[in-house]
Amino acid sequence: MHHLGQTRSALEHDHLLQTPDTFVRAPLPGMTKATAIVHIGPARGARFTQYTAEFEAGGTLAPCAAQRFLYVLDGEIAVSGRRLAAGGYAYLPGGDASSVGAPAAARVAVIEKTRVELAGVPTPAMLIGDESSAAPVALNGDDGLEVRSLLPGEPAFDFAVNVMTYQPGACLPMVEIHVMEHGLLMLAGGGVYRLSDKWYPVAAGDFIWMAPHCPQWFGALGKTPARYLIYKDWNRHPLDLIP
Ligand code: UGY
Ligand code: MN
């Protein structure tokens, strides 16, 4: 398909909008029968890596030295023998022998992050969950905007991954500017995302990276809810974020 050089994708110093028409696929070292769409990583200044892994039947990921978070988008995977279907997720502390494979075709959002240690706080153990078991919390009491936290908020975790669901017409109550960075994958629906001083139409399948302090706001449009999976660094002092 040709779009005469047009795309909604955009790269600015403090944000990236990456739309599916610009995705480039390449396997990462150690992957078998799988490929990766790398959305963001340290090459752009991010302190984490996020990619979508696309598995054929029998595909596997290489073990990871860093912490790894997996969220199943489509199909089913096996994480150290535990089956996860769409909406299932896993936190792996890294540096261990946990295995990740797919018995049939599957797509998985993968976030990898080197842990920022906290004195006296041990690294969490492996955790498996399902989005449907995470209690929805209305953001600032707005029933139109629900947040599901997939990881415990305790200090052992140096990052958070949430699913945010906006009813049509719902929006963030303010333009946020914060020290945390974000990796965001649109799961359903769409709307308008303000990033820095630009407003972008966004839809399911799009990826967004927001650097620390990137001004951000979202309003949902359309007749169905908008949902996104959002990563942020969490629970650490800003002086400890850059080694
Ligand atoms: O958790 C957050 O910072 C979230 N409210 N940000 C966002 O949706 N852009
Ligand atoms: Mn935010």
Side-chain angles (χ1 to χ4, degrees):
M1 215 190 303
H2 298 281
H3 300 287
L4 297 171
Q6 301 284 346
T7 179
R8 288 184 297 109
S9 285
L11 176 62
E12 300 285 336
H13 79 280
D14 63 356
H15 65 268
L16 166 70
L17 168 63
Q18 193 187 33
T19 61
D21 55 301
T22 57
F23 288 173
V24 173
R25 292 164 169 82
L28 294 175
M31 279 181 151
T32 62
K33 293 187 174 179
T35 193
I37 302 158
V38 177
H39 299 301
I40 197 67
R44 195 77 230 161
R47 297 183 306 266
F48 69 106
T49 292
Q50 183 162 349
Y51 55 94
T52 298
E54 296 179 333
F55 295 89
E56 297 170 35
T60 60
L61 295 186
C64 181
Q67 301 176 106
R68 181 181 261 167
F69 183 89
L70 306 159
Y71 175 91
V72 183
L73 299 165
D74 294 305
E76 200 179 86
I77 60 169
V79 178
S80 294
R82 305 267 303 268
R83 291 286 177 116
L84 300 183
Y89 62 88
Y91 164 84
L92 305 174
D96 62 2
S98 44
S99 65
V100 180
R107 285 192 323 120
V108 179
V110 185
I111 295 161
E112 293 169 355
K113 179 182 191 296
T114 302
R115 184 167 184 271
V116 177
E117 303 295 333
L118 194 58
V121 180
T123 305
M126 179 171 115
L127 183 153
I128 301 270
D130 194 279
E131 181 193 334
S132 60
S133 318
V137 175
L139 191 72
N140 291 338
D142 179 353
D143 292 337
L145 207 181
E146 285 178 345
V147 184
R148 286 179 169 79
S149 302
L150 304 187
L151 291 176
E154 53 205 51
F157 291 89
D158 70 348
F159 68 96
V161 184
N162 301 331
V163 175
M164 298 185 65
T165 304
Y166 296 72
Q167 295 306 312
C171 62
L172 281 177
M174 57 186 275
V175 177
E176 296 177 5
I177 301 180
H178 51 62
V179 70
M180 300 84 80
E181 61 181 330
H182 282 311
L184 183 160
L185 190 63
M186 289 295 299
L187 299 174
V192 175
Y193 230 104
R194 177 187 170 162
L195 299 168
S196 199
D197 58 356
K198 297 203 158 64
W199 278 256
Y200 299 97
V202 296
D206 291 352
F207 173 82
I208 296 172
W209 168 67
M210 294 170 237
H213 298 108
C214 175
Q216 56 199 257
W217 176 88
F218 178 68
L221 290 175
K223 295 187 174 173
T224 56
R227 284 180 353 107
Y228 56 70
L229 182 76
I230 183 165
Y231 157 95
K232 62 182 167 188
D233 48 291
W234 197 234
N235 281 331
R236 292 296 181 270
H237 193 284
L239 285 177
D240 292 331
L241 294 181
I242 308 288

